[in-house]
Amino acid sequence: MGIKVLFLYPNTFGMNMVPPAIAFLSALLKGEGHQVELFDSTYYDLSYGVNSEGIKAEQLNVVPFDLASRGIRMKTSDWREDLCAQAKRFSPDLVAISSTEDMWELGVMLLDCLGDYLTQNSTPVIAGGVFPTFAPDLVLRHPKIDMVCVGEGENALVDLCERLATGKSYDSVTNLWVKMPNGSVKKNPISSPVDINENPTIDLSLFDEQRLYRPMAGRIYKMYPIETHRGCPFTCRFCNSPDQMKLYDKEAGGGFFRKKSMEVVYKELKYLKETLGCEYNYFWADTFLAMNNKEFDEFCEMYSDIKLPFWMQTRAETVTDDKLRRLAEVGLHRISFGIEHGDEEFRKRMLDRRWKNDLIIEALKIPHRYDIQFSLNNITGFPEETRELAMQTVELNRQIEADNANIYSFVPFHGTPLRKVCEDKGLIDSNAIVKALTDRPMLEMPQYPISEIAGLKKCFILYVKLPKDRWDRIRLAEEDSVKGNKIFEELKDEFMDKYFVPPRDNPNAEFPSTADLEYGLANPA
């Protein structure tokens, strides 16, 4: 006999697409005879994050897009009433919340809304995801959280549900930290990494139809996230992949970085295209081209039968002329490259990214040879960074003809090596929960104040595109003042006149708004 599991997914519009983890966990649980439902907050009008800033969702892209063209509408009902009504109707035996760190406080809002229901029905709550994995003590402080999944959830959740269904104790389930009746926490060991080739095809029936649509270069596509491998072989210090590897090396003897067989990937792609009407594939691997030559050949041969447009992210050092030529032939549409920082020595020392600028510049001449659009992602506000160092990021981006260039504030997420650096330097409290995109820069550093970081973010694309004889004027536009904003508007108009070119696959696109430039967010949205 199965149980009922209600997943909670805290999210705001424009942040995260369909969460693959919930989709394949749902498929696993249904395969074991359990019932699954989802409460996804994405399309509600929430006073949180981007919504609380009063920014329209459509402004989160450099290229505007029309949601109404695909019938996408925000919900008009109250999320609190809908969540409580769903819990009362479905009567779950387990509530499972999956959250990133920047969405955790929204997740707390959802749990608090269900507080009375959870208490009255003694419904256990489990939290999982990257943030609970690396901050389990913080997560367990919430009075309604009964357990945290540290690491992967496949084996743990299946075992937990089986024990709940049979009335057995779950305090020994691997990967779980469990609150005990005496107030202590039992920390169970982590099991070996799962065989991702054995996972079922993701279950997308949980999601509203409109949740499957996503903007890309000014158009809306029915798009799906595809897993080709889990983990990353690189060791960027602002990313959680190195700590994931260390966690599994220590607790489970290694093996966290795994690749899915192309045969399995092909079956998923065929199902998504032929059964669900997929229009565009989104490969969400940290470094898509972390493949050997044999695997790359297998992908190209396999995808030649799919031949839908697709997006990937990878590093410049994984790119060759031959690879991009072959990928373009089978459907590659856009690439996101993480440049991160323009100063070679700082990038090597602080970020553990070791490629030379001249090699990056040469490699990124390749995409446009094959009509592949690409964006550059950069970060500023790192510990020990200065404005002078940050301007080297501007200089490097000026030498690359990207379709988009973006810059973000550094966010010291739990589970990243640079989080520990920030804590050791006294730049952040160990208990602080951080957010991406929606907050101002949060590291107050005497050599690079928050006001300077915010000003450079605001004017980054102007520095990258306008001639250097405009830089003194751009510096004035960085100021958060009436005068500074007026100058910014003037320079924005100058930028539009000289440099805005509608995307090739959406020639009727309109000019971006001021918010587009201020936020400088990347395509895809």
Side-chain angles (χ1 to χ4, degrees), residues 246-283:
K246 289 180 181 178
L247 177 66
Y248 272 80
D249 286 346
K250 178 182 177 182
E251 301 289 339
F256 185 77
F257 178 58
R258 288 142 292 162
K259 299 177 181 179
K260 187 176 287 188
S261 78
M262 288 304 162
E263 181 182 356
V264 172
V265 175
Y266 176 68
K267 289 179 180 178
E268 292 179 356
L269 290 168
K270 288 281 282 186
Y271 169 75
L272 295 173
K273 178 181 179 180
E274 296 179 358
T275 304
L276 300 182
C278 178
E279 300 169 345
Y280 197 114
N281 288 311
Y282 184 101
F283 291 100

Side-chain angles (χ1 to χ4, degrees), residues 105-124:
E105 291 176 347
L106 176 57
V108 168
M109 289 168 56
L110 302 184
L111 286 176
D112 288 345
C113 178
L114 286 179
D116 290 342
Y117 176 88
L118 297 172
T119 300
Q120 293 167 7
N121 294 277
S122 301
T123 307

Side-chain angles (χ1 to χ4, degrees), residues 38-272:
L38 167 71
F39 181 84
D40 180 354
S41 65
T42 300
Y43 281 102
Y44 285 94
D45 184 11
L46 301 157
S47 296
Y48 184 85
V50 170
N51 302 80
S52 67
E53 300 294 330
I55 304 163
K56 293 181 180 179
E58 292 88 343
Q59 294 174 333
L60 288 177
N61 255 317
V62 173
V63 181
F65 53 90
D66 181 14
L67 293 172
S69 67
R70 301 305 294 261
I72 299 172
R73 298 283 188 276
M74 299 296 288
K75 293 181 182 290
T76 57
S77 56
D78 187 289
W79 67 266
R80 299 169 185 81
E81 294 179 1
D82 288 356
L83 174 57
C84 290
Q86 183 175 2
K88 184 177 180 180
R89 172 189 54 76
F90 185 54
S91 188
D93 303 295
L94 175 69
V95 170
I97 181 168
S98 178
S99 178
T100 57
E101 183 165 356
D102 51 358
M103 291 291 116
W104 176 245
E105 291 176 347
L106 176 57
V108 168
M109 289 168 56
L110 302 184
L111 286 176
D112 288 345
C113 178
L114 286 179
D116 290 342
Y117 176 88
L118 297 172
T119 300
Q120 293 167 7
N121 294 277
S122 301
T123 307
V125 177
I126 181 172
V130 175
F131 177 56
T133 289
F134 290 111
D137 293 304
L138 278 179
V139 172
L140 283 169
R141 290 179 188 175
H142 192 281
K144 296 304 179 186
I145 299 288
D146 299 288
M147 65 201 103
V148 164
C149 180
V150 175
E152 295 180 314
E154 288 98 326
N155 290 338
L157 198 56
V158 168
D159 192 5
L160 171 63
C161 290
E162 189 275 331
R163 296 196 189 193
L164 288 172
T166 57
K168 297 177 183 176
S169 172
Y170 56 77
D171 63 7
S172 61
V173 173
T174 56
N175 292 44
L176 295 193
W177 286 25
V178 183
K179 284 181 183 175
M180 304 301 289
N182 64 2
S184 65
V185 175
K186 186 176 181 185
K187 303 176 183 180
N188 293 304
I190 291 176
S191 61
S192 298
V194 301
D195 183 350
I196 57 176
N197 289 303
E198 297 297 320
N199 277 343
T201 301
I202 58 177
D203 173 26
L204 294 165
S205 66
L206 289 178
F207 300 91
D208 289 344
E209 173 73 12
Q210 66 177 14
R211 189 69 168 85
L212 306 178
Y213 290 87
R214 182 183 175 88
M216 180 71 72
R219 286 191 172 184
I220 308 291
Y221 296 92
K222 194 172 189 181
M223 188 182 304
Y224 296 92
I226 308 296
E227 181 181 48
T228 53
H229 55 265
R230 191 172 297 184
C232 181
F234 294 99
T235 55
C236 303
R237 301 180 73 212
F238 53 85
C239 178
N240 61 55
S241 285
D243 280 14
Q244 289 273 26
M245 300 280 275
K246 289 180 181 178
L247 177 66
Y248 272 80
D249 286 346
K250 178 182 177 182
E251 301 289 339
F256 185 77
F257 178 58
R258 288 142 292 162
K259 299 177 181 179
K260 187 176 287 188
S261 78
M262 288 304 162
E263 181 182 356
V264 172
V265 175
Y266 176 68
K267 289 179 180 178
E268 292 179 356
L269 290 168
K270 288 281 282 186
Y271 169 75
L272 295 173

Side-chain angles (χ1 to χ4, degrees), residues 6 64 72 88 115 128 224 267 304 321 435 476 515:
L6 175 62
I72 299 172
K88 184 177 180 180
Y224 296 92
K267 289 179 180 178
S304 65
D321 189 285
K435 300 183 182 71
L476 296 175

